[in-house]
Amino acid sequence: MTEVQQDDGLAFPWWKRGVIYQVYPRSFQDSNGDGTGDLRGITSRLDYVSWLGVSAIWISPFYPSPMADFGYDVSDYCAVDPLFGTLADFDALLTEAHARDIRVIVDFVPNHTSDQHPWFLESRASKSNPKRDWYFWRDAKPDGTLPNNWLAHFGGPMWTLDEATGQYYLHSFLPQQPDLNWRNPEVKAAMLDALRFWLDKGVDGFRFDVAHNIMKDPNLADNPPAGNTAQWHRFAGDFSTQLHINDKNHPDIHVIYKEIRKLIDSYSTPGHERFMIGETHVYDGPTWAALFGDHLDEMHMPGNFGLLKTPWNATAIRSHVEMIEQAVPEGGWPNYVISNHDDPRTATRVGAKQAKVAMMLLLTLRGTPTIYNGEELGMENVAIPADRERDPWGLRVPGLGLGRDPQRTPMQWDTSPNAGFTTPAATPWLPLADDWETRNVAVEKDDAKSILNLTEELLVLRGTHPALAHGDWEAIGGLPEECLVYTRSTAEQRLLVALNLTDTEHQFMLPYTGTGLVITSTGKDRTGKISLTFMVLQPNEGILIDITGAKLA
Ligand code: NOJ
């Protein structure tokens, strides 16, 4: 074991050093037997989170909401939906998390409110309402057609007619999620106040939902056709036929995020740095990098979802990571996502046998990884019977596999009824996976070779190995297309990560002489010295090796 990593203080604040664990509150732990997870449930599982070794939890929205989009339609930014508990429950969660040295990141939804938010109810009341301009209201064009051609993420046009006032309002997602007009100073002030509310409570950071959506072209110009330009990580039907250049990420976004960052920084103190990560589906390196701000004065981390659309082969993964490494500005910090509540489970996307390899990749790249709850168990997408489908996206745009219920099923804790997620008599809000009796935290903790124990071990290793925590990343070229091999190095330490991305054995020459020392492997069946000249990777195998001092051949 190498030296314990020193706490580098502000140069490596907690959000650079650690790993973020995404908790989807409906599905994590139910404390009151209604079949839906809640804040007290999360608190009751903090010892597990602490054992796992992550440094922060990001909790998806728990605010009052009609739940048209399961909480991403907020009707009050400064309260807790009774389904999830109370503000006192949140305070208790925060205290208990901090007592375990776990930071708490709340999900902030800046782009849209619920159509039941008092602001929107006022705004729609009349054309002359003082809050009319808080949202986007437009007349039809003179020929009676919609104000522009923009298409919503969740199907249909971005415009819905309000019969009473005869105007259309804009919504990037569901009609129940009208977009806020951030160019109106009152909107900005109200949203900054909402951020202050949570900062005053002591939260450590925010995950900004569709952060790049909040600034649109001021003239609401039409979007051009997409042609063959890939602009998002998944094909989403009609939505994907447009190039979404006018409905989001207008350059004026930088002005707003500088202001937001200033507010967040004003709450930061050494040892309690506040932080923001944006959900930014921006796949072009320079445009993504610009979201850090020209003086690193915007997002601490614009979210990077590139691995979700990267084919599972060494060339593609390598070129994505190299693109990110090149794009990250000096002083900036990369981050990687391989799953979340919107995308298929990793074990389903890349194959169950590759789940451990994917986890090793995620936890050995340079940057902050996000682990979505259940990924550490190797959970797979769950087939949802038609009569239990809940997600509006899948229901509105059927047939394309866009429904997100399969990756939102309850956490599998143990072998008790309902997998310990809720009381035995309750019906979980989504069905449990069929494999819950064998794939759960209790069973996997007892299995030295489980993905759960591998995840926990890799998290410990990130803390004890400076090269993993903040060392440089470099790929080794000239290897079989099926194997991704890279190093992580500081001046004192060099580690090698060798990943077999297929389920057949591969052999290849490495550019070193001598041997390295195995630190761990996905099969937990490797120990001691290993040749650095000739390597044989078993099917679906990943190995982490200490090669400090190894000489190039
Ligand atoms: C992104 C969130 O992750 C997703 O779950 C939600 O439906 C949309 N933003 C709209 O808020």
Side-chain angles (χ1 to χ4, degrees):
M1 194 63 88
T2 38
E3 77 199 81
V4 172
Q5 187 202 345
Q6 296 301 306
D7 185 342
D8 300 282
L10 281 180
F12 287 99
W14 63 268
W15 53 269
K16 285 188 180 177
R17 281 197 309 265
V19 172
I20 299 172
Y21 184 71
Q22 180 190 356
V23 172
Y24 192 67
R26 300 183 76 91
S27 304
F28 198 59
Q29 178 63 52
D30 176 22
S31 74
N32 62 0
D34 64 0
T36 301
D38 46 44
L39 295 182
R40 284 180 181 218
I42 299 172
T43 306
S44 73
R45 293 294 185 184
L46 286 175
D47 283 339
Y48 165 75
V49 175
S50 171
W51 168 81
L52 190 58
V54 297
S55 45
I57 51 173
W58 143 36
I59 313 173
S60 290
F62 48 77
Y63 314 106
S65 165
M67 303 290 164
D69 188 20
F70 295 108
Y72 285 96
D73 46 325
V74 178
S75 54
D76 181 351
Y77 285 99
C78 301
V80 171
D81 195 286
L83 183 70
F84 296 119
T86 62
L87 272 177
D89 292 335
F90 179 81
D91 292 339
L93 192 169
L94 190 62
T95 304
E96 290 297 320
H98 284 172
R100 291 166 179 78
D101 207 22
I102 299 168
R103 290 0 188 242
V104 176
I105 299 169
V106 296
D107 212 317
F108 190 68
V109 188
N111 182 64
H112 43 267
T113 66
S114 159
D115 64 346
Q116 298 307 307
H117 194 295
W119 299 341
F120 187 72
L121 295 178
E122 277 189 57
S123 182
R124 84 183 303 168
S126 74
K127 280 186 178 178
S128 58
N129 187 280
K131 289 207 168 53
R132 189 66 167 178
D133 183 55
W134 280 41
Y135 295 83
F136 295 88
W137 290 97
R138 294 291 184 277
D139 293 326
K141 284 187 186 155
D143 65 358
T145 58
L146 296 175
N148 70 17
N149 74 347
W150 295 357
L151 295 173
H153 274 258
F154 291 164
M158 266 198 211
W159 297 99
T160 288
L161 180 65
D162 174 55
E163 303 273 350
T165 57
Q167 284 193 311
Y168 288 86
Y169 67 88
L170 181 80
H171 49 88
S172 293
F173 293 88
L174 296 172
Q176 296 95 319
Q177 295 167 292
D179 281 27
L180 282 164
N181 174 15
W182 275 79
R183 291 181 190 275
N184 181 315
E186 291 175 9
V187 167
K188 191 177 63 189
M191 294 301 269
L192 292 187
D193 278 349
L195 290 171
R196 276 188 199 99
F197 176 85
W198 295 102
L199 287 164
D200 285 337
K201 283 205 165 294
V203 302
D204 302 277
F206 300 96
R207 175 259 188 192
F208 274 65
D209 187 66
V210 287
H212 58 311
N213 276 48
I214 65 172
M215 269 294 157
K216 305 151 199 335
D217 172 61
N219 301 315
L220 308 188
D222 278 357
N223 281 327
N228 290 327
T229 314
Q231 40 170 342
W232 207 47
H233 66 293
R234 287 171 80 184
F235 176 74
D238 287 349
F239 176 80
S240 298
T241 62
Q242 289 188 346
L243 204 50
H244 292 270
I245 54 171
N246 290 323
D247 54 359
K248 58 187 69 155
N249 210 19
H250 185 274
D252 290 347
I253 198 162
H254 298 292
V255 180
I256 296 282
Y257 275 107
K258 282 187 203 311
E259 251 186 86
I260 291 175
R261 174 66 180 268
K262 221 183 229 165
L263 173 70
I264 293 175
D265 280 355
S266 74
Y267 277 81
S268 274
T269 52
H272 195 189
E273 301 86 9
R274 315 295 180 104
F275 151 88
M276 70 165 299
I277 180 168
E279 188 207 11
T280 45
H281 290 284
V282 177
Y283 296 98
D284 145 67
T287 316
W288 171 76
L291 294 167
F292 284 92
D294 44 7
H295 294 96
L296 296 183
D297 51 358
E298 296 178 31
M299 300 180 194
H300 292 88
M301 292 197 304
N304 165 29
F305 299 86
L307 283 177
L308 288 169
K309 66 172 195 158
T310 302
W312 203 242
N313 64 62
T315 309
I317 298 175
R318 177 181 169 179
S319 67
H320 170 69
V321 178
E322 282 173 348
M323 187 276 279
I324 290 295
E325 286 284 342
Q326 274 163 24
V328 172
E330 181 82 35
W333 190 244
N335 70 91
Y336 293 91
V337 170
I338 57 171
S339 64
N340 56 44
H341 64 297
D342 293 327
D343 291 284
R345 288 282 185 188
T346 309
T348 303
R349 192 165 52 83
V350 304
K353 290 184 186 160
Q354 279 286 305
K356 287 185 194 171
V357 173
M359 188 59 86
M360 189 174 269
L361 170 74
L362 178 70
L363 298 183
T364 58
L365 290 172
R366 188 179 80 99
T368 301
T370 299
I371 301 176
Y372 174 46
N373 61 202
E375 290 287 290
E376 74 276 25
L377 304 176
M379 280 176 68
E380 297 182 48
N381 273 14
V382 175
I384 308 292
D387 62 341
R388 295 200 61 183
E389 261 190 70
R390 308 284 300 265
D391 182 30
W393 195 5
L395 293 168
R396 287 169 59 95
V397 189
L400 296 177
L402 294 171
R404 298 166 293 177
D405 300 322
Q407 58 266 29
R408 294 178 175 179
T409 61
M411 264 295 276
Q412 298 160 201
W413 294 102
D414 55 39
T415 52
S416 67
N418 279 330
F421 162 69
T422 181
T423 50
T427 304
W429 79 285
L430 282 175
L432 283 162
D434 287 344
D435 64 359
W436 66 269
E437 277 170 293
T438 50
R439 187 182 300 286
N440 61 56
V441 171
V443 166
E444 291 199 33
K445 259 193 175 182
D446 284 345
D447 173 3
K449 295 188 170 187
S450 67
I451 183 171
L452 177 61
N453 280 317
L454 175 73
T455 306
E456 190 268 345
E457 184 187 18
L458 288 168
L459 287 169
V460 170
L461 292 169
R462 286 176 66 92
T464 53
H465 288 67
L468 270 189
H470 55 79
D472 293 343
W473 179 94
E474 194 179 355
I476 294 182
L479 302 181
E481 170 68 5
E482 296 84 359
C483 297
L484 179 66
V485 182
Y486 50 89
T487 53
R488 296 291 315 279
S489 322
T490 58
E492 292 83 29
Q493 185 174 65
R494 176 161 300 177
L495 307 181
L496 184 100
V497 181
L499 303 173
N500 182 348
L501 304 171
T502 68
D503 66 356
T504 49
E505 180 186 293
H506 288 284
Q507 311 181 347
F508 48 87
M509 304 294 289
L510 281 174
Y512 299 101
T513 60
T515 55
L517 210 54
V518 172
I519 299 174
T520 192
S521 72
T522 50
K524 296 276 175 84
D525 49 0
R526 301 257 197 178
T527 48
K529 290 183 177 171
I530 185 167
S531 164
L532 292 182
T533 311
F534 180 66
M535 178 152 287
V536 182
L537 282 182
Q538 299 305 314
N540 305 300
E541 183 176 41
I543 317 181
L544 176 64
I545 306 165
D546 192 333
I547 63 163
T548 308
K551 302 255 177 314
L552 284 172

